[in-house]
Amino acid sequence: MKTIQLNRFGIENLQVVSTEKPAPGAHEVLVKVEAASFNFLDLMMINGYYNPDLAFPYTPGSDAAGIVESIGSAVTRWKKGDRVITHFIQTWIAGSKSIVDFQNRTGLEKPGVLREYICISEDALIATPANLSSAEASTLPIAGLTAWTGLIDYANLKPGQTILTQGTGGVSVFALQIAKAMGARVIATSGSADKLERLKALGAHEVINYRDTPDWHVEAKRLTNGRGVDAILDVGGTETLTKSVYAVKADGFVGLVGNLSGAVVPFNIYDTVPNNATLRGISVGSRESFEAFARAIELTTLKPVIDRVFPFDAVQEAYRYMESKTFFGKIIIAFP
């Protein structure tokens, strides 16, 4: 079978190689992968930023969807032919996650998905929503579930409330779509006039160009009559987090999602004390939340936004495209 492997750090070192097709253990499922989607976590792994002691050869990728090819002797949750999606934190089924769960992440401690067939625990899969293709479904495990968990489970978003999204990556676009489906108001930011138009077409009520308006937190307050937004999923880190805190209302919610501009934030606690803002890290979500998200997708007919689909052999080009940060939504690899 075809497998994408890395033998040393750097996108230029990604190669398509032939490896043996695996066989499932007693509690494992063999999945024929049909599509996978990219996350910035992939780039951090490939370039050596996340784990400089990574063991090679390494296969990247955390998000995939496909069809059950065969099952192990003790598997009860799946049968041949089922359409399934991988779950990122494989052992986090419900409730609060544990330290052990963080040793069971797809594409980090567990094998990556950029291979034609994967063996994975029967508990680390959910059923693909009936209204999605495998390409669409592959966008859900990290970006989609992070947005869902942040807004629904943690921020407790209600109809009529207001959220602010940052940029046009997977988490932010999903946040816009989920908020719209919930009947919430969306203020979206981007540094591109073209992307702002696309955000409006997707349903954003107001947009802010953060290049033209670097104090976008002030504009967000103005757009909410001085009150502030109810929730923000902060994907920027260093350059955005303090402004996110300023932009939320009293008792507002700021979800810590990404670090696109850096992970270290010079922070004054008095930025949060006056308005009692809640800052919470978001580590994707449990399988229970993922299954709830999948049901909501079927009921609302939500469709993930896919920017481009690359062929399997164009993996280097696909990751270079992600590195450029010019995309809108999700980037997909289609399998042979």
Side-chain angles (χ1 to χ4, degrees), residues 75-236:
V75 170
T76 59
R77 298 186 68 237
W78 307 105
K79 65 182 185 301
K80 180 179 172 62
D82 285 342
R83 300 177 64 230
V84 292
I85 315 171
T86 57
H87 175 44
F88 177 53
I89 304 181
Q90 295 189 9
T91 57
W92 188 9
I93 306 304
S96 299
K97 60 186 174 296
S98 68
I99 296 297
V100 174
D101 292 329
F102 271 105
Q103 302 306 312
N104 290 279
R105 295 172 293 181
T106 308
L108 276 75
E109 297 82 16
K110 297 294 185 178
V113 299
L114 294 186
R115 58 187 86 207
E116 288 186 277
Y117 292 90
I118 58 172
C119 276
I120 190 168
S121 166
E122 67 170 322
D123 292 325
L125 297 166
I126 74 157
T128 298
N131 62 316
L132 297 189
S133 67
S134 287
E136 292 167 332
S138 74
T139 68
L140 304 182
I142 288 184
L145 183 54
T146 296
W148 174 267
T149 301
L151 293 179
I152 306 303
D153 294 347
Y154 296 160
N156 197 25
L157 185 68
K158 297 289 193 300
Q161 292 185 326
T162 301
I163 74 160
L164 184 142
T165 63
Q166 298 175 342
T168 56
V171 173
S172 295
V173 172
F174 269 117
L176 189 162
Q177 293 179 289
I178 291 167
K180 283 283 294 181
M182 283 289 296
R185 177 188 179 199
V186 180
I187 300 171
T189 67
S190 173
S192 162
D194 290 341
K195 288 182 177 180
L196 289 172
E197 289 302 314
R198 294 184 66 183
L199 288 166
K200 286 195 287 187
L202 200 59
H205 296 83
E206 286 95 9
V207 295
I208 303 171
N209 189 320
Y210 63 74
R211 298 192 190 281
D212 297 338
T213 310
D215 291 335
W216 50 265
H217 55 296
V218 176
E219 179 65 4
K221 279 286 183 70
R222 186 190 70 80
L223 291 171
T224 53
N225 297 317
R227 178 174 175 271
V229 302
D230 293 274
I232 297 175
L233 301 185
D234 188 278
V235 300

Side-chain angles (χ1 to χ4, degrees), residues 8 34 58 63 93 145 151 160-161 179 211 213 221 227 278 282 291 321 328:
R8 57 181 178 177
E34 294 188 314
Y58 166 73
D63 295 7
I93 306 304
L145 183 54
L151 293 179
Q161 292 185 326
R211 298 192 190 281
T213 310
K221 279 286 183 70
R227 178 174 175 271
T278 296
I282 301 173
E291 290 167 337
Y321 183 57
F328 187 107

Side-chain angles (χ1 to χ4, degrees), residues 283-297:
S283 301
V284 191
S286 69
R287 195 186 77 195
E288 181 180 65
S289 290
F290 199 178
E291 290 167 337
F293 179 36
R295 291 193 297 271
I297 286 173

Side-chain angles (χ1 to χ4, degrees), residues 4-15 17 42-49 51-60 316 320:
I4 292 170
Q5 276 190 356
L6 190 71
N7 287 298
R8 57 181 178 177
F9 292 124
I11 292 174
E12 68 278 6
N13 296 311
L14 288 165
Q15 295 181 330
V17 301
D42 301 358
L43 286 178
M44 294 174 71
M45 294 293 290
I46 290 167
N47 290 322
Y49 302 140
N51 180 10
D53 299 319
L54 184 67
F56 296 112
Y58 166 73
T59 294
Q316 289 190 21
R320 291 289 185 204

